[in-house]
Amino acid sequence: MAAPVDLELKKAFTELQAKVIDTQQKVKLADIQIEQLNRTKKHAHLTDTEIMTLIDETNMYEGVGRMFILQSKEVIHNQLLEKQKIAEEKIKELEVSFESILTVVNYKKKNNYLNFVMLNENVCLPLFSFFRIVLEQ
């Protein structure tokens, strides 16, 4: 009788560990994406700051793939502002998902493995009797 309970416990722990590892990977991925978007936003801001120091009639070349297209300063400025705006929106979306993932990870850590096992009635009864015997000694 002890063997099936042990197998069920082992299976439950393995599943929970897999879920924790999965959420930790999601947290790392979201963090990397946020860092990349912050770099993109900063790069666009710095480029825009430098462009704004030039004369308004200045034409510039915009890199498109392996070629360059002649554009006015205003067009480049608007594109850089749009790039910053898009990056900021994506950062906000990722931060919301990042916070929800962290909440899930913290919830799983706080509830620990024992609380997870207590939800399974087949494992719960033998486990309680085991803890009662250990605590009485």
Side-chain angles (χ1 to χ4, degrees):
M1 182 169 174
V5 172
D6 291 338
L7 291 176
E8 289 181 30
L9 272 174
K10 186 174 182 178
K11 183 179 178 184
F13 285 144
T14 305
E15 289 174 4
L16 186 60
Q17 286 175 338
K19 288 179 183 178
V20 169
I21 290 170
D22 183 48
T23 52
Q24 287 174 342
Q25 288 174 345
K26 288 179 182 177
V27 166
K28 288 179 185 178
L29 180 63
D31 193 36
I32 290 169
Q33 289 174 338
I34 289 172
E35 286 178 21
Q36 179 63 34
L37 287 169
N38 278 327
R39 275 188 245 122
T40 301
K41 181 181 159 190
K42 186 175 183 178
H43 182 266
H45 175 71
L46 291 173
T47 304
D48 187 46
T49 303
E50 288 298 317
I51 287 174
M52 294 310 294
T53 61
L54 300 172
I55 303 170
D56 288 336
E57 294 81 30
T58 305
N59 287 327
M60 297 170 213
Y61 288 99
E62 174 190 6
V64 179
R66 298 174 76 185
M67 64 180 190
F68 296 94
I69 299 175
L70 189 62
Q71 300 280 358
S72 67
K73 176 184 168 183
E74 183 180 337
V75 170
I76 300 289
H77 171 69
N78 290 337
Q79 288 175 350
L80 290 170
L81 290 179
E82 184 66 24
K83 195 175 194 179
Q84 290 177 39
K85 181 181 164 189
I86 290 171
E88 185 65 35
E89 290 171 359
K90 288 182 180 178
I91 288 170
K92 287 180 183 177
E93 290 173 9
L94 284 171
E95 285 175 345
V96 168
S97 67
F98 183 76
E99 289 174 9
S100 67
I101 291 170
L102 282 179
T103 303
V104 169
V105 169
N106 289 336
Y107 177 77
K108 287 180 181 178
K109 284 182 181 178
K110 286 180 183 177
N111 286 332
N112 214 338
Y113 294 133
L114 184 58
N115 290 339
F116 177 76
V117 171
M118 286 182 184
L119 296 175
N120 188 345
E121 290 181 17
N122 296 334
V123 177
C124 202
L125 295 174
L127 199 59
F128 282 139
S129 62
F130 170 75
F131 282 126
R132 188 170 10 111
I133 293 169
V134 170
L135 292 174
E136 289 174 356
Q137 292 179 352

